[in-house]
Amino acid sequence: MILEALGSTLLGFALAWAAAHRLPHRLPARNLVLATGTAGALIGSFVAHMALGAGHTPATIAGAVAVSAALLSLLLRPSRNRLSRRSATA
């Protein structure tokens, strides 16, 4: 379980770093993004391990990455250059 948690944490950190590097204009401060990705992966690893049990390491890591990506997606802000859409009656 220690290796699953460590691997998931490293993958969550890598995912957060890639998101912060690729989308800096749509995310808040880099420290928050890195912490969210890492913590999300650790929580996802714990939940997946408790749900699946021991011996399902690839599925546990996949669950951790999915939770990390979901939490990182909650940090995204809309892009500024997007055209504002108005209804036909306005």
Side-chain angles (χ1 to χ4, degrees):
M1 170 133 176
I2 298 294
L3 291 177
E4 286 178 357
L6 183 61
S8 298
T9 302
L10 290 175
L11 284 174
F13 183 80
L15 183 66
W17 181 83
H21 183 69
R22 179 88 173 125
L23 301 167
H25 59 285
R26 293 191 58 197
L27 289 168
R30 181 174 282 233
N31 292 337
L32 177 65
V33 173
L34 295 177
T36 301
T38 305
L42 191 59
I43 291 169
S45 175
F46 177 72
V47 169
H49 183 80
M50 289 297 125
L52 298 173
H56 298 284
T57 303
T60 300
I61 291 177
V65 170
V67 171
S68 178
L71 286 178
L72 286 172
S73 74
L74 293 175
L75 294 177
L76 284 174
R77 295 182 290 217
S79 63
R80 296 172 198 225
N81 59 1
R82 195 171 95 187
L83 298 174
S84 64
R85 297 181 183 203
R86 297 184 182 175
S87 65
T89 59

